[in-house]
Amino acid sequence: MKFYLISDNTDTLMGMRLAGIEGVVVHEKDEVISELEQAMKNKDVAIILMTEKLINLCKERVYELKLNCPKPLIVEISDRHGTSDVTNTINSYVNEAIGIKI
C-alpha cells in the first residue's frame, strides 16, 4: 500500500519524493478533482495526502469522498504556506459526520 500526494507546490512534492512518495502538482479545481478521483481508483494507494489549499479549492467533493468511501484515506497536510489548525479540522469532520460538536 502506498501514499500518494496531490499538491499545489513543487517544493512539497520534491520533499515527499525524498521520502519515496509519488504525486502530482495541480492548481485548478478541475485538475484537483480529476487527480483525486484517479488516485481513489488506484488499488495500490492507501493514503492520499492533499495540501490545505487544494482541499479548500474543492472542499465539498473531498468531504463527500471522505464520508462515503472507506478507502483510501484522504489526509490534509500543511505545506510551508499552510495555516490550518488540525484540531479544528478534526472537530469539523466529526461534527459533519455524526453531528457531535467536540
Side-chain angles (χ1 to χ4, degrees):
M1 294 298 201
K2 298 180 186 180
F3 283 85
Y4 187 77
L5 173 70
I6 302 175
S7 176
D8 62 313
N9 186 307
T10 56
D11 292 338
T12 302
L13 178 61
M14 294 308 292
M16 292 295 181
R17 281 191 178 163
L18 290 172
I21 298 171
E22 293 297 318
V24 294
V25 174
V26 292
H27 300 285
E28 301 298 322
K29 183 177 181 176
D30 294 339
E31 294 174 319
V32 175
I33 292 172
S34 174
E35 287 295 334
L36 178 58
E37 289 177 354
Q38 284 181 9
M40 294 290 291
K41 292 176 186 174
N42 186 338
K43 300 222 185 277
D44 291 335
V45 175
I47 299 174
I48 299 171
L49 305 172
M50 291 183 69
T51 56
E52 174 187 352
K53 181 178 176 182
L54 294 183
I55 286 184
N56 289 332
L57 194 61
C58 55
K59 190 174 281 193
E60 297 81 20
R61 183 65 179 139
V62 171
Y63 288 168
E64 178 185 331
L65 291 169
K66 281 185 168 197
L67 292 172
N68 296 316
C69 298
K71 61 180 188 178
L73 180 65
I74 301 172
V75 178
E76 179 178 342
I77 61 169
S78 293
D79 60 9
R80 63 186 175 140
H81 304 292
T83 59
S84 179
D85 179 4
V86 174
T87 303
N88 286 337
T89 303
I90 292 170
N91 288 343
S92 69
Y93 291 153
V94 170
N95 185 23
E96 191 172 318
I98 58 176
I100 297 174
K101 288 188 179 183
I102 299 176

